[in-house]
Amino acid sequence: MNFIIYGEQSVMIKNRLKKVVKERLDFVDEMNFVKFDMANTSLEEVIEEASYLPLGYEHKLIVLEDCLFLEKSKASKGKKKKDENIDEAMERFISYVKHANEDCDLVLTLNSTNIDKSSVLYNSLLENGKVYELL
């Protein structure tokens, strides 16, 4: 299952995240719970981790913090080459989300309300999950 948790108040996001973790996992350790800061992590690394089975557990949860790629994009000039690479990684991530490992939950967090609800990624995540908009 996929979760999107977003809003302006980081405390509310953290509290909702704790509730989701508690609901989805009986016990938390490094074999069934992984947290990524998306400012320093590529989507490829996330896809790779999500494809692994949870060793010794029935279920695994992956938290992606600061998912700025969920925000409405702003037009940028002079970054065409970089945007093409991001688009390829995003396409692979969307493909993973559509055919996700059933033993793995993804929780995407964003400290903003400027989320792009019309994006393919948002709608793909929404099809198999829940959205928590914290205002």
Side-chain angles (χ1 to χ4, degrees), residues 20-71:
V20 169
V21 171
K22 189 174 182 177
E23 290 170 5
R24 302 301 292 173
L25 297 176
D26 295 329
F27 179 76
V28 176
D29 73 8
E30 67 271 357
M31 299 303 276
N32 70 347
F33 180 81
V34 180
K35 189 182 285 190
F36 290 112
D37 177 359
M38 294 310 294
N40 302 315
T41 307
S42 71
L43 288 173
E44 296 295 335
E45 290 176 75
V46 173
I47 295 166
E48 184 177 343
E49 180 63 40
S51 65
Y52 295 145
L53 294 174
L55 297 174
Y57 295 95
E58 292 181 21
H59 208 74
K60 177 167 61 172
L61 192 130
I62 299 175
V63 176
L64 310 179
E65 293 182 326
D66 298 323
C67 294
L68 298 176
F69 52 82
L70 290 173
E71 287 186 317

Side-chain angles (χ1 to χ4, degrees), residues 100-134:
N101 177 357
E102 293 180 10
D103 298 326
C104 182
D105 291 336
L106 290 177
V107 182
L108 290 80
T109 67
L110 178 63
N111 194 9
S112 171
T113 57
N114 187 29
I115 196 163
D116 186 0
K117 295 181 180 179
S118 65
S119 73
V120 175
L121 175 60
Y122 179 86
N123 290 304
S124 298
L125 288 162
L126 190 58
E127 284 178 20
N128 296 317
K130 294 182 182 180
V131 174
Y132 296 104
E133 181 178 8
L134 309 174

